[in-house]
Each structure stands twice: as structure tokens, then as C-alpha cells.
């Protein structure tokens, strides 16, 4: 294993034939990992009408693209995609396979890992090659970080959320090899996709919001959560949450910020009624200014932000809303 | 009769899980006496089975892997309405990663016999890997649908389900036997009733160890886990907090001022 020169793989994720940002982000990171290992970056790209995309993958740092461009691959199908990827992996024996922590990756990665009888680490926040040429997979846990490795079995597999790694600088001059994957792509029919429905998200999208407001258990109850929603509107902020708010049923899973949710980098972050758990905080580490409101001055959240307000958020938010209203009125009258 | 297995896990109470910390000196885990509870999403998995039971003849087995103390959460599931409780408990099962856990549970499902449907929570609140359901499905050679938010059972053993995507959902038809991992949106789990607790008193929990499952010790627990934790560390904070002080009104006013300075208002 010491001089393993087998490639680093990324499984591409696309929507309407466009690559999701997580794919070039992973290719860029894989370039670094492959350089450390002295090997190549290869991408598996499946879809229908995606044959123009390999150039983007080469520009991001890939040397080879396995391209499955076929109507039967238009939508992600668990059995079809798993069969194709497992078949390729058994033939080409990559030492690493990375996928995005997207709806597809979160289902496909464990299906592939189980078929290949190998390890899989969820939602990594960093990846490095160590002195033994093994992939170190870093995840947040217990207020700190832990390193996980898959020392013996290959491939080493991990998922990574969108936004963990930056988009690579594109080198449009880079060319690579396209290897086309031939069908037929068939499945047993035990799972059929009847339709895929896209629903427009409510409010300001977290990915692009310049201000992100996140709240957690401190909201208290559904009424308290409504105040948080009102505050997000008053600030024109993207509204995110921590796991307890999802567990309580106040907020949608899709708005959870952190390791197993969204990674965002707003100008300003305002965290209300949350304790600053590592799994959440890694999701907003890229924010420029960070502010927290919590009723406990000793809360760990205060050691991770720039400005702190010690107060019960249920009492404080209504007053803050009132002050924002007064400020806005003054602006209008000036 | 439809046979459903619900896989459940005892996890540190998520409300107190913040008390589990990494000791900065020894780099080991300080468990801080946090009580073990039923993983929140597993309540939705059990509720899914219980709701199907109201419409057809169903036998529900609850299956968990964990230390002997985890019997309490299996008991809780029996009190909520499950028919049979199985705890996979053995020193040899300890230290399992998602892969070894999925394998052990799959062997439990197999020994229990002929499951038509296996429900799991989408993720556990402590490990949060989401892998056990799909990996177990692969080992049982069953199809899986993850993140299920709606189920329409059909008598013809091809169920229709909706599975959540980041920005919508997939509608799928799945031939049984199958594994489903469920989200919180699927249902509102019932709470314990007094009569349920009384009924559960009569139900016994089946305990199976390594020998009962007839599996090799090399395939379970730490030995059967492809991944290992090599390092734990605390994280240095790079920011230094400045507290906004004063009365509530003053604090709110100053915060508005701060939000103006950084361009939010």
C-alpha cells in the first residue's frame, strides 16, 4: 500500500446537467490529495446530456472522466448508479472515493461502500494524506475534532458537504481523457422513480445570504420560533437552525447549518439561543462577523464569536424587533 | 401477515449531549453522566410501523444493538406497541463503526426471519452517519429508500414513498422486502401510555450475543470495523468575544447599532 499509485476518485453530482458546486470543490481538493500521493484524479460523471461537462472537470484538476451519458442515467437511481460505480471501482481500484453530502451522495455512498466492503466517513470537514499515505478524515465531535482513518480496506470513502472546500481556480487549458461507460443500464425494477418534484424554498437562500440568522433550542417553543422567523425577515437574513430545532419540529432539516447540514460563509452571522456545538459552528466558520445571544454567559458559543449578548432570547428578541422597527422608521423619516 | 423490523439505538440524551467533551489533556472522552434515550428519529421509525399496523395485520419486532442497559429503550418500544423486542448485546459487538453495526443488525434481521419491511431512523443523533440503513439493506440484498417523508402502503407489496431531496422530493415505488430510513416529517410519534407500560411488563426482551447470531468475531465490533478513530483533539478558538452590556433595551439598541455597522441594516 506504501507505493499505491491508484487514482483518487470523485463521484460527480449534477442537477439539470449542471455540476453542483460540491463536485469541482471535491475535484480541487482531490488534486491536492493526488499530488501528495503522486497519482491522478478521476471523476465518474453520470447523467443524460452531460457530455459537455468533462471540460469543466479537467479545468478543476481532473485527468480522466468516466462518462456515462445515457437517458437511463438521467436521474439518480440507487440500483443503477450503484451498479455502475461498483463495477468501475472493482475494475480500476481507486484508493479514495469522495462524494458530496447531497441527497444523492448520502444514499449512494453507503450503498457503494457496503458493496465494496469498505469504510465510509460521513460529512468530513477536512481531508489530508498522512505520513503513511493514508487518508485522514476529520469530523467535528464532542466540542472538538476527531480523525478517522480506514487503514486497511480500499477504497477509502468519505462524503463532504458543499462549501467545505473552496472552488478551485479553473485552468481552462487543461485537457484530459474521457472514457465512455457503455450500457445497457438496467435494473431489476425493485425500485422505480415515479417522479422528481422540485419545490421552491421559502425565504432567503442560506447559500447566498449576506446575513445568516441561526437559532436553536433556546427559542423555547413554536411561538418562540415564530419570533425568530420574524427577526430573520426584519434583518433580510437567511434563516438556519441547529439540530434541536429540527428535532423539535420547528425548522426544516434542509435549513440545518453544520457538519451534516449546510456550510455557509455569510458576511454576518447571528446565533440566537444555541450553545455553539462544534457540529453547528463548523458550518459558519467562514463568517466575517459573528454575534451570539444566549442566556448563559458561560455558554461555549461565546468563545467562538466576536460579539455577545447575555439574555434570554425569548425576552430579548421582541425588544430587538422593536428597536429594528424604530431604526427603520427613523431611516424613512430622514 | 406483514413482518416489520424497526431498528433502534440508545443514544446519549441529545438535550444533554453537550456535556460529553474531549479531555484536552488525555484526549479521551469525558462522558459526563449523560442518560441514554431512544434516538429521536427512531421514534418516527417505530411510529411508521405502528401506523401501518392500524390498517393491516402486522407484527412489529424492535431490534437494537447495544450494551445491556439499552434494554430500557427496547422496553420503551414494547410499551409503545411493538410486539417483540430483541437486543443484540455482546462485548464483541463493542466499538463497531457504521459498517460493522449494519452487518450485526442485518444478521439480527436475518435470524428473526423473513422481514417484509425494515424501518430505521434516517440518522442517529450521536453518530449522525446515516449509513446503517443503506448498508444493512445491501447486506440483506434489499432495496433501500432513505429520507422517507411519506409512505403509502399497498397490499400488493409495492409501496409508494416520498423521499426528501434538498429542494423537493422523489416519488418512488418500491417492491418489498425493503429498507426505509425515515425523517421527522413522516409522522408525529405517540407518547407512552399507562396501559402500554402495563402491557409491556409481560413482554420479555430476547437477547442475542455473538454465538446466537453465529457470526465470526472478526466481522463485528471493533475488529469488523473498516474505520477507526485515531485522534481526538479540542479546537482552538480564534475569536475573542466582546460582550454588549446594559439593560435589555440598551443591549438591543447597541446590537442594532452593530448590525448597522456591519451592513446588515
Amino acid at each position: 500500500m506504501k507505493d499505491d499509485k491508484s487514482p483518487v476518485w470523485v463521484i460527480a453530482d449534477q442537477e439539470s446537467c449542471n455540476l453542483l458546486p460540491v463536485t469541482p470543490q471535491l475535484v480541487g481538493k482531490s488534486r491536492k490529495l493526488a499530488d501528495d500521493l503522486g497519482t491522478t484524479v478521476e471523476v465518474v460523471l453520470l447523467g443524460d446530456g452531460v457530455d459537455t461537462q468533462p471540460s469543466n472537470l479537467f479545468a478543476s484538476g481532473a485527468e480522466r472522466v468516466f462518462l456515462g451519458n445515457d437517458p437511463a442515467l438521467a436521474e439518480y437511481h440507487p440500483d443503477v448508479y450503484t451498479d455502475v460505480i461498483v463495477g468501475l471501482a472493482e475494475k480500476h481500484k481507486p484508493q479514495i472515493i469522495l462524494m458530496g453530502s447531497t441527497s444523492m451522495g448520502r444514499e449512494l455512498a453507503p450503498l457503494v461502500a457496503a458493496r465494496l466492503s469498505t469504510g465510509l466517513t460521513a460529512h468530513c470537514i477536512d481531508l489530508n494524506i498522512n505520513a503513511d499515505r493514508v487518508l485522514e478524515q476529520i469530523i467535528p465531535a464532542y466540542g472538538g475534532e476527531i480523525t478517522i482513518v480506514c487503514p486497511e480496506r480500499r477504497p477509502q470513502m468519505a462524503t463532504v458537504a458543499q462549501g467545505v472546500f473552496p472552488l478551485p481556480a479553473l485552468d481552462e487549458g487543461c485537457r484530459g481523457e474521457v472514457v465512455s461507460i457503455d450500457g445497457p443500464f438496467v435494473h431489476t425494477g425493485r425500485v422505480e422513480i415515479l417522479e422528481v418534484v422540485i419545490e421552491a424554498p421559502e425565504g432567503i437562500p442560506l447559500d447566498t445570504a449576506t446575513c445568516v440568522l441561526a437559532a436553536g433550542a433556546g427559542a423555547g417553543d413554536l411561538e418562540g420560533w415564530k419570533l425568530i422567523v420574524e427577526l430573520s425577515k426584519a434583518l433580510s437574513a437567511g434563516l438556519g437552525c441547529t439540530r434541536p430545532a429540527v428535532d423539535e419540529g420547528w425548522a426544516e432539516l434542509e435549513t440545518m447549518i453544520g457538519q451534516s447540514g449546510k456550510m455557509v460563509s455569510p458576511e454576518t452571522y447571528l446565533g440566537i439561543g444555541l450553545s455553539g456545538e462544534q457540529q453547528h459552528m463548523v458550518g459558519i466558520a467562514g463568517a466575517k462577523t459573528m454575534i451570539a445571544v444566549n442566556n448563559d454567559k458561560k455558554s461555549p458559543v461565546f468563545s467562538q464569536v466576536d460579539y455577545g449578548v447575555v439574555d434570554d432570547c425569548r425576552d430579548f428578541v421582541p425588544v430587538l424587533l422593536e428597536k429594528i422597527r424604530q431604526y427603520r422608521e427613523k431611516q424613512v423619516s430622514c | 401477515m406483514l413482518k416489520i423490523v424497526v431498528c433502534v439505538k440508545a443514544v446519549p440524551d441529545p438535550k444533554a449531549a453537550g456535556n460529553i467533551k474531549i479531555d484536552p489533556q488525555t484526549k479521551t472522552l469525558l462522558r459526563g453522566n449523560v442518560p441514554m434515550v431512544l434516538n429521536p428519529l427512531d421514534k418516527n421509525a417505530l411510529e411508521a410501523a405502528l401506523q401501518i399496523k392500524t390498517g393491516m395485520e402486522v407484527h412489529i419486532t424492535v431490534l437494537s444493538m447495544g450494551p445491556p442497559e439499552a434494554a430500557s429503550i427496547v422496553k420503551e418500544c414494547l410499551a409503545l406497541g411493538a410486539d417483540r423486542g430483541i437486543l443484540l448485546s455482546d462485548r464483541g459487538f463493542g466499538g463497531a463503526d457504521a459498517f460493522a453495526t449494519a452487518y450485526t443488525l442485518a444478521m439480527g434481521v436475518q435470524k428473526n426471519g423473513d422481514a417484509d419491511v425494515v424501518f430505521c431512523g434516517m440518522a442517529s443523533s450521536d453518530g449522525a452517519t446515516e449509513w446503517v440503513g443503506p448498508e444493512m439493506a445491501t447486506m440483506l440484498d434489499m432495496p433501500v429508500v432513505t429520507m422517507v417523508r411519506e409512505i403509502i402502503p399497498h397490499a400488493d407489496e409495492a409501496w409508494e414513498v416520498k423521499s426528501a431531496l434538498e429542494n423537493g422530493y422523489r416519488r418512488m415505488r418500491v417492491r418489498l422486502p425493503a429498507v426505509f430510513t425515515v425523517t421527522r416529517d413522516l409522522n408525529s410519534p405517540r407518547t407512552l401510555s399507562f396501559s402500554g407500560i402495563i402491557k409491556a411488563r409481560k413482554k420479555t426482551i430476547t437477547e442475542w450475543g455473538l454465538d446466537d447470531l453465529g457470526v465470526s468475531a472478526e466481522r463485528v465490533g471493533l475488529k469488523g470495523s473498516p474505520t477507526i478513530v485515531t485522534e481526538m483533539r479540542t479546537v482552538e478558538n480564534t475569536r475573542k468575544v466582546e460582550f454588549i452590556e446594559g439593560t435589555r433595551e440598551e443591549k438591543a439598541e447597541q446590537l442594532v447599532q452593530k448590525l448597522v455597522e456591519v451592513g446588515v441594516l
Side-chain angles (χ1 to χ4, degrees):
Chain A
M1 225 168 275
K2 279 270 179 219
D3 35 303
D4 190 349
K5 295 288 179 206
S6 53
V8 176
W9 275 17
V10 173
I11 309 301
D13 213 319
Q14 52 96 10
E15 195 176 281
S16 310
C17 297
N18 293 309
L19 297 174
L20 294 182
V22 71
T23 299
Q25 287 165 1
L26 287 180
V27 172
K29 182 67 188 182
S30 296
R31 181 69 268 155
K32 169 80 174 67
L33 300 175
D35 288 345
D36 290 348
L37 290 164
T39 184
T40 54
V41 178
E42 304 181 350
V43 179
V44 180
L45 171 61
L46 308 178
D48 185 29
V50 290
D51 46 331
T52 59
Q53 293 299 337
S55 58
N56 295 327
L57 296 166
F58 298 139
S60 302
E63 278 121 336
R64 183 142 85 141
V65 174
F66 293 96
L67 176 66
N69 192 45
D70 191 284
L73 300 173
E75 301 283 0
Y76 159 67
H77 185 291
D79 287 346
V80 177
Y81 274 44
T82 303
D83 281 347
V84 170
I85 293 163
V86 167
L88 286 171
E90 283 174 341
K91 187 171 169 200
H92 298 278
K93 307 232 178 291
Q95 55 180 310
I96 294 170
I97 301 181
L98 304 179
M99 292 195 207
S101 296
T102 57
S103 308
M104 178 182 87
R106 296 163 93 134
E107 184 174 281
L108 181 60
L111 291 175
V112 171
R115 285 271 296 274
L116 296 173
S117 286
T118 193
L120 171 63
T121 304
H123 319 314
C124 299
I125 56 164
D126 204 2
L127 299 168
N128 300 300
I129 302 297
N130 72 12
D132 298 322
R133 299 167 58 83
V134 170
L135 181 70
E136 287 185 340
Q137 307 161 79
I138 322 283
I139 60 166
Y142 316 113
E145 287 178 359
I146 63 178
T147 301
I148 295 176
V149 296
C150 182
E152 281 156 22
R153 301 198 201 185
R154 294 292 174 270
Q156 305 161 87
M157 290 185 63
T159 65
V160 180
Q162 191 153 298
V164 169
F165 298 123
L167 283 168
L170 297 183
D171 185 347
E172 302 292 351
C174 280
R175 294 282 175 274
E177 181 194 2
V178 176
V179 180
S180 97
I181 312 165
D182 297 321
F185 304 101
V186 287
H187 59 88
T188 58
R190 60 185 192 170
V191 178
E192 280 176 81
I193 316 270
L194 303 175
E195 64 174 333
V196 176
V197 177
I198 305 298
E199 293 169 329
E202 281 174 39
I204 295 164
L206 280 168
D207 299 310
T208 53
T210 54
C211 175
V212 164
L213 168 65
D221 55 24
L222 196 55
E223 288 308 305
W225 189 260
K226 284 178 184 158
L227 288 172
I228 300 290
V229 174
E230 203 183 322
L231 181 60
S232 74
K233 286 177 183 157
L235 297 171
S236 302
L239 179 58
C241 69
T242 59
R243 187 169 287 281
V246 179
D247 285 345
E248 293 291 344
W250 306 330
E252 296 294 327
L253 181 66
E254 292 75 41
T255 65
M256 188 169 80
I257 293 174
Q259 181 209 2
S260 57
K262 280 208 160 22
M263 297 277 177
V264 294
S265 306
E267 289 285 310
T268 309
Y269 165 84
L270 179 56
I272 296 192
L274 48 82
S275 61
E277 270 206 54
Q278 201 64 23
Q279 281 90 338
H280 170 68
M281 299 310 277
V282 294
I284 40 93
K288 208 187 227 167
T289 306
M290 296 180 67
I291 306 166
V293 181
N294 190 298
N295 62 356
D296 178 7
K297 191 163 189 172
K298 293 200 186 88
S299 168
V301 75
F302 288 128
S303 57
Q304 304 172 69
V305 297
D306 306 300
Y307 300 98
V309 175
V310 181
D311 207 341
D312 189 310
C313 75
R314 285 296 296 271
D315 299 321
F316 183 71
V317 172
V319 179
L320 181 59
L321 278 166
E322 178 57 23
K323 294 291 172 196
I324 293 169
R325 200 184 54 78
Q326 287 172 7
Y327 171 79
R328 294 243 190 245
E329 270 173 12
K330 217 165 69 193
Q331 291 302 104
V332 173
S333 61
C334 286
Chain B
M1 172 143 47
L2 192 77
K3 289 181 79 175
I4 299 180
V5 177
V6 183
C7 296
V8 299
K9 183 181 183 186
V11 297
D13 188 345
K15 291 191 174 73
N19 296 336
I20 306 176
K21 293 258 181 279
I22 295 169
D23 185 319
Q25 263 77 52
T26 62
K27 314 286 184 207
T28 54
L29 225 46
L30 300 168
R31 293 194 177 272
N33 253 343
V34 178
M36 300 299 276
V37 298
L38 180 56
N39 177 44
L41 283 162
D42 298 349
K43 291 184 186 170
N44 298 84
L46 178 60
E47 181 62 31
L50 293 169
Q51 287 187 8
I52 289 161
K53 202 177 177 177
T54 61
M56 53 177 100
E57 245 198 293
V58 171
H59 182 274
I60 301 171
T61 300
V62 167
L63 177 67
S64 186
M65 182 185 91
E69 301 86 79
S72 65
I73 63 130
V74 177
K75 198 83 179 168
E76 183 180 339
C77 295
L78 291 173
L80 284 164
D83 301 296
R84 183 179 196 200
I86 302 171
L87 178 65
L88 307 177
S89 199
D90 196 298
R91 291 182 71 92
F93 297 157
D97 70 357
F99 184 87
T101 303
Y103 176 75
T104 311
L105 288 172
M107 293 304 105
V109 171
Q110 232 161 44
K111 186 176 166 69
N112 186 48
D114 301 324
D116 297 297
V117 174
V118 180
F119 283 124
C120 309
M122 181 204 101
S124 59
S125 64
D126 57 345
T129 67
E130 307 166 35
W131 307 152
V132 169
E135 295 198 336
M136 185 173 54
T138 304
M139 293 160 185
L140 291 167
D141 196 23
M142 289 186 194
V144 66
V145 181
T146 59
M147 302 190 82
V148 170
R149 69 177 210 191
E150 196 179 325
I151 299 173
I152 308 158
H154 284 288
D156 68 354
E157 304 202 331
W159 285 11
E160 213 177 291
V161 296
K162 283 182 185 169
S163 143
L165 302 173
E166 286 109 338
N167 52 357
Y169 63 89
R170 301 177 287 173
R171 201 162 59 82
M172 307 166 84
R173 188 181 292 125
V174 186
R175 211 191 291 151
L176 304 188
V179 177
F180 301 98
T181 80
V182 310
T183 66
R184 185 157 306 278
D185 295 332
L186 180 62
N187 52 41
S188 307
R190 66 197 64 192
T191 48
L192 280 172
S193 69
F194 183 67
S195 66
I197 295 168
I198 298 295
K199 273 188 212 157
R201 278 195 191 156
K202 287 184 221 138
K203 298 176 187 168
T204 55
I205 295 170
T206 306
E207 275 202 38
W208 287 337
L210 199 60
D211 296 337
D212 301 299
L213 287 186
V215 296
S216 153
E218 304 298 311
R219 297 203 60 183
V220 297
L222 192 59
K223 282 186 197 163
S225 298
T227 62
I228 49 167
V229 173
T230 54
E231 203 192 327
M232 290 189 183
R233 60 191 163 276
T234 50
V235 177
E236 297 297 318
N237 294 307
T238 52
R239 297 180 196 252
K240 183 141 176 35
V241 69
E242 176 189 327
F243 282 105
I244 295 171
E245 314 270 6
T247 64
R248 181 165 290 149
E249 295 266 323
E250 287 163 359
K251 285 187 286 192
E253 263 167 33
Q254 289 181 62
L255 182 52
V256 167
Q257 204 46 52
K258 194 53 71 187
L259 291 169
V260 173
E261 277 170 33
V262 297
V264 174
L265 288 173

